[in-house]
Amino acid sequence: VAAVLALARGSYVAAGRQPLLLLLVLRIVQELCHVWVRRRMLSFGRLRVRGLAEEIDSELIQGCLLSTENLLSLGRVEKRTIFTRPLLEVLGGNRYLVQELVRGAQECRRRSHNCMVARWMPPDERYHALQACLNEVSSLFGTNFVHFNALDGDTHQLFKSTWYCLTLAT
């Protein structure tokens, strides 16, 4: 222990004598940390693209419109992405709600074979998360409905009103 303290004390004294060397060493350590973080993020991104990552993306949420319009004729369900936004932004800056949504998604993956996250969330948190997502989706289509209501005439050929279902999935 005494030898380690002497070595540490000697390094401290040497650093005091050569501050430029200390700054250079600190800068090198900082750059090495940045390189390591970038490589780790690249590796994680590669795993995510290949579908091998078990971690749930807690940064972004994707709003999608799933359509069965061509299910009978073409045999497929079509997916259209309508937005990709930061999860924290969609949930109104509520970090607790983000935490509960991610916890529900992790529980869903761990215990279930389907991807319905809302069933694994507590009732109040589920309500507020779904309401925030509904508000986000409604804000995208709201201007069209205002325009639809403002026409006040023969509108059956101009617009088609459709109901939609909202859920959270992993």
Side-chain angles (χ1 to χ4, degrees):
V1 174
V4 172
L5 288 176
L7 181 61
R9 194 176 3 219
S11 298
Y12 180 73
V13 171
R17 290 185 200 147
Q18 298 177 348
L20 290 177
L21 180 62
L22 175 65
L23 290 175
L24 179 64
V25 168
L26 288 175
R27 180 65 181 166
I28 290 171
V29 168
Q30 182 182 24
E31 285 301 315
L32 288 174
C33 285
H34 284 291
V35 168
W36 181 78
V37 167
R38 277 189 302 235
R39 289 187 66 135
R40 184 147 170 84
M41 291 182 72
L42 178 68
S43 175
F44 179 68
R46 185 179 306 119
L47 288 174
R48 187 180 276 165
V49 166
R50 292 184 177 167
L52 302 173
E54 288 296 319
E55 190 171 324
I56 293 172
D57 185 3
S58 61
E59 297 296 320
L60 295 175
I61 188 169
Q62 186 180 71
C64 301
L65 185 64
L66 300 175
S67 171
T68 58
E69 187 175 341
N70 293 319
L71 183 60
L72 292 176
S73 62
L74 300 175
R76 67 178 181 220
V77 175
E78 296 175 337
K79 172 189 168 193
R80 299 286 181 256
T81 301
I82 53 178
F83 70 83
T84 299
R85 296 225 171 81
L87 180 59
L88 187 61
E89 180 184 307
V90 170
L91 296 179
N94 189 332
R95 293 189 188 281
Y96 171 73
L97 211 49
V98 170
Q99 174 187 336
E100 287 301 311
L101 180 60
V102 171
R103 185 177 294 141
Q106 290 168 340
E107 187 70 15
C108 179
R109 279 214 181 150
R110 189 175 66 79
R111 295 180 53 189
S112 179
H113 292 292
N114 68 33
C115 58
M116 299 300 159
V117 174
R119 68 183 282 202
W120 302 105
M121 295 175 68
D124 287 341
E125 287 78 357
R126 177 184 329 142
Y127 170 80
H128 288 287
L130 288 171
Q131 187 65 48
C133 292
L134 176 65
N135 292 341
E136 191 70 30
V137 170
S138 294
S139 71
L140 296 173
F141 298 110
T143 55
N144 293 328
F145 283 105
V146 169
H147 182 72
F148 172 79
N149 291 336
L151 289 175
D152 195 38
D154 185 24
T155 58
H156 70 279
Q157 295 175 353
L158 300 176
F159 291 97
K160 181 178 179 182
S161 182
T162 304
W163 288 89
Y164 53 89
C165 176
L166 182 73
T167 192
L168 296 167
T170 59

